[in-house]
Amino acid sequence: MPSSRAASETRPCDDRTTDLIRWAAFSCCLVPLVLLWYGTSPAGTAGTALGLATVTGVCRMLLRRSERCAARLLDEDDAPQAHHRGRHQRTGTGSHRGGRHSGGNSPVG
């Protein structure tokens, strides 16, 4: 079984995201209790709890999606790719394509 240090070195973003989601879930539980403590109506507290849980769920989904996209981009960067030449870096005999060219430097006429 790998140690927690080895796991954190391989996936540091996942650990930070997991910690963030845990704190958000803790807040989703704590905020309604504090609201009830200070006398907010149970219906208002339930609405607030539902709203916080919804926002936390959407944020979790977006964070996980972002991590997957970042991991995919890193995988693509590690894969060997053919050299891409830009628009102006053509080589070979067909490097001057298009347009009309008459022989030499004589004017077209």
Side-chain angles (χ1 to χ4, degrees):
M1 183 170 160
S3 67
S4 62
R5 181 177 178 190
S8 67
E9 288 176 357
T10 58
R11 300 184 72 179
C13 290
D14 189 35
D15 289 342
R16 289 186 294 193
T17 303
T18 302
D19 289 343
L20 182 68
I21 296 301
R22 285 181 183 163
W23 277 107
F26 174 72
S27 297
C28 287
C29 296
L30 182 65
V31 168
L33 291 175
V34 170
L35 289 174
L36 284 174
W37 180 268
Y38 282 102
T40 306
S41 70
T45 301
T48 301
L50 183 63
L52 285 172
T54 302
V55 169
T56 301
V58 170
C59 288
R60 179 182 184 272
M61 180 188 67
L62 291 172
L63 283 168
R64 297 293 182 192
R65 181 178 178 197
S66 174
E67 283 180 340
R68 284 192 305 268
C69 290
R72 193 176 312 132
L73 287 175
L74 286 175
D75 288 344
E76 288 175 3
D77 287 345
D78 291 340
Q81 297 176 354
H83 179 68
H84 180 270
R85 288 186 221 142
R87 178 178 175 192
H88 299 291
Q89 296 177 354
R90 295 183 183 131
T91 60
T93 58
S95 63
H96 297 286
R97 296 184 187 131
R100 290 177 41 186
H101 297 286
S102 62
N105 290 329
S106 62
V108 177

